[in-house]
Amino acid sequence: MTLTLSDSELLRKGSYIAGAWREQGVGVLAVANPANGNVIAEVATVDRAGTEAAIAAAHDAMTSWREVPAKVRAQVLRRWFDLMMAHQEDLAVIMTTEQGKTLAESRGEVAYGASFMEWFGEQAKRIDGDVIPAPSADKRVICIKQPIGVVAAITPWNFPNAMIARKAAPALAAGCTIVIKPASETPLSALAMAELAERAGVPAGVVNVVVGSSSEIGPALTDSPLVRKLTFTGSTEVGRRLEQACSVTLKRTSMELGGNAPFIVFEDADLDAAVQGAVVSKYRNSGQTCVCTNRILVQDSIHDEFVSRLVAATAELKMGNGLDEGVQQGPLVNVGAVGDVEQLVQRSTEAGAHIALGGARSDLGPCYYQPTVLTGVTPDMAVFRNEIFGPVAPVTAFRDEAEAIALANDTEFGLASYFYTRDIGRVWRVAEALDYGMVGINEGIISNEMAPFGGVKASGSGREGSKYGIDDYLEIKYILMGGLDR
Ligand code: NAP
């Protein structure tokens, strides 16, 4: 066990159900550090019965939590925000150790996650209804908004804190309770958040975290008629299965799924800014984010110059254990992830792609893959069609704006997209033509709590963050009041 924290109580080793820690479970999950393979902690797991207990606790807690005034719910969320920021360093160390991203990125993610607690606490006070014109003088028509009910959240390992915060914060703000199933690679960040929720005064049963096998926990969540909404962040493949499973009980769903982000560089772009944007967007979290640049499309007149600058900037990235000073690229999450990336690169080079940099595992350890640049990539290649989820930047040349848009939209996915240009007409034409939920113009990092995050097509449905994000957790009730004869 190799984790040194200022507050050792943040390292919890069992599920959190109905305000109690279950440190004895039906099994044990060993959480390993991808930087060196060391086991950091063994977490007690729950099965279907434990998940059903969490759902029952959340259902019971709904009765009182929905009646808590919005202003008080806001204060609880604000305290959760304050505690996350006060413990930012410990939360970041836990995250880097179980997930691999650099400490700087983990600190950033904790602040990003906390921002949703702050934002949705503020939004709790703005869940306004409407008074609508009535069809006759003796009637009044009113709409009120009420919490949808118990929420189930299933979250991925690549943002172990923020993907939970983006769901728990609007749920609690709306007056819902929640059962969270974190990814098996990264349960410790989720449990540390639950510990802080408890300290913030979140009542027992309002937030529950269940750790265990997805084949036990998943069906318990999707089958339960008590769960009224499922919010999922993860792969498109699993999202499709969950959507089907939820259809039986007709739950509301939000699906934040995979991406295949194009990054278009037009010949009038500021090339230094474009290279810098490509590097941060591509290699953030070692390429393991759903909004990471997945395909770089470069106008042919500047292609060679852009590639040589991109290769030079990528070669500068320092790889190593995310806890070490100055490291910019950590390991991938596990050995399987390295194998997947290796295969994608191999299939693409066999089909004619050229390795301009990297293109192999690193000798730092079994979870490391070298930051890589591929050129000569065409739409039929595996790296162009699939979400890479690793530090590989494939470059494709294009002739003109129409071809760039066609290439960018040539995918089943539609999450994030980026382009660089200084032509104001093109800014609007291309932004409107891209078939994506999010567009970054002359920027490689676009996400913040005030903006709506989400995708179209196979990237899912629903929006997280922003003034729209709370709607997914609310039902609109229409009330007609008659008999008001004057
Ligand atoms: P994943 O394999 O889909 O797993 C995500 C979560 O689903 C984990 O908690 C996993 O649990 C659980 N799960 C897996 N199979 C399940 C099943 N049959 N029933 C119920 N739960 C199940 O995805 P991942 O590899 O962790 O994450 C990477 C993916 O997430 C990428 O595709 C990425 O693009 C996407 N992502 C999207 C967004 C977005 O906002 N659009 C943000 C981040 C990531 P176990 O860990 O226990 O298997």
Side-chain angles (χ1 to χ4, degrees), residues 11 43 78 83 140 150 223 292 297 377 412 442 447 478:
L11 188 61
V43 180
R78 175 71 206 195
L83 285 165
R140 295 292 181 273
V150 173
D223 293 352
C292 270
L297 311 174
V377 172
E412 65 169 326
N442 300 325
S447 181
Y478 154 49

Side-chain angles (χ1 to χ4, degrees), residues 154-159 163 166-167 181-186 212-215 217-219 221-222 232-239 241-242 255-259 288-291 387 389 413 415 438 453-455 459 464:
I154 301 180
T155 55
W157 48 260
N158 63 343
F159 287 98
M163 295 305 102
R166 259 180 13 186
K167 300 173 187 318
K181 186 241 168 287
S184 295
E185 256 85 7
T186 56
S213 148
S214 55
S215 60
I217 296 173
L221 295 174
T222 52
F232 173 70
T233 298
S235 60
T236 296
E237 185 194 344
V238 173
R241 265 187 268 151
L242 291 172
M255 294 281 157
E256 297 285 349
L257 309 177
Q288 302 169 112
T289 89
C290 51
V291 291
E387 188 178 36
F389 245 57
F413 296 104
L415 192 60
M438 297 176 281
F453 189 105
S459 294
E464 292 190 328

Side-chain angles (χ1 to χ4, degrees), residues 275-297:
V275 169
Q276 196 199 6
V279 168
V280 292
S281 169
K282 175 67 253 181
Y283 298 109
R284 182 172 165 223
N285 199 5
S286 299
Q288 302 169 112
T289 89
C290 51
V291 291
C292 270
T293 286
N294 210 57
R295 296 170 293 151
I296 302 179
L297 311 174

Side-chain angles (χ1 to χ4, degrees), residues 175-437:
C176 300
T177 58
I178 191 164
V179 179
I180 300 159
K181 186 241 168 287
S184 295
E185 256 85 7
T186 56
L188 302 177
S189 293
L191 296 172
M193 284 176 77
E195 167 69 23
L196 295 179
E198 188 176 43
R199 293 185 199 177
V202 174
V206 171
V207 170
N208 306 272
V209 179
V210 286
V211 177
S213 148
S214 55
S215 60
E216 288 278 331
I217 296 173
L221 295 174
T222 52
D223 293 352
S224 171
L226 299 181
V227 173
R228 292 313 313 145
K229 179 189 167 72
L230 176 82
T231 168
F232 173 70
T233 298
S235 60
T236 296
E237 185 194 344
V238 173
R240 281 198 180 103
R241 265 187 268 151
L242 291 172
E243 193 80 78
Q244 272 188 337
C246 287
S247 68
V248 178
T249 48
L250 291 171
K251 293 186 205 321
R252 178 112 54 96
T253 58
S254 304
M255 294 281 157
E256 297 285 349
L257 309 177
N260 183 357
F263 186 104
I264 311 171
V265 189
F266 290 102
E267 60 191 358
D268 65 332
D270 174 338
L271 268 202
D272 286 334
V275 169
Q276 196 199 6
V279 168
V280 292
S281 169
K282 175 67 253 181
Y283 298 109
R284 182 172 165 223
N285 199 5
S286 299
Q288 302 169 112
T289 89
C290 51
V291 291
C292 270
T293 286
N294 210 57
R295 296 170 293 151
I296 302 179
L297 311 174
V298 188
Q299 197 148 17
D300 44 19
S301 55
I302 53 158
H303 174 273
D304 293 354
E305 178 62 22
F306 179 86
V307 168
S308 87
R309 292 197 205 184
L310 178 67
V311 166
T314 304
E316 294 286 305
L317 294 173
K318 184 177 173 203
M319 198 166 35
N321 185 330
L323 289 178
D324 293 345
E325 198 60 41
V327 165
Q328 295 158 297
Q329 286 287 284
L332 299 193
V333 70
N334 54 35
V335 179
V338 177
D340 291 347
V341 172
E342 190 174 44
Q343 271 210 357
L344 277 180
V345 171
Q346 191 185 330
R347 283 167 60 198
S348 304
T349 50
E350 280 167 9
H354 167 72
I355 297 172
L357 182 76
R361 291 171 184 251
S362 153
D363 53 14
L364 285 172
C367 291
Y368 291 90
Y369 194 89
Q370 294 175 15
T372 293
V373 178
L374 297 180
T375 56
V377 172
T378 52
D380 53 309
M381 290 182 188
V383 276
F384 191 97
R385 305 237 69 86
N386 294 279
E387 188 178 36
I388 300 168
F389 245 57
V392 178
V395 183
T396 302
F398 68 85
R399 283 183 313 278
D400 56 20
E401 189 178 303
E403 189 186 16
I405 292 167
L407 284 167
N409 287 342
D410 180 15
T411 170
E412 65 169 326
F413 296 104
L415 192 60
S417 56
Y418 310 89
F419 66 92
Y420 277 65
T421 182
R422 285 180 284 199
D423 175 332
I424 194 152
R426 174 177 279 157
V427 160
W428 283 102
R429 279 194 308 275
V430 177
E432 288 170 4
L434 287 172
D435 210 358
Y436 287 82

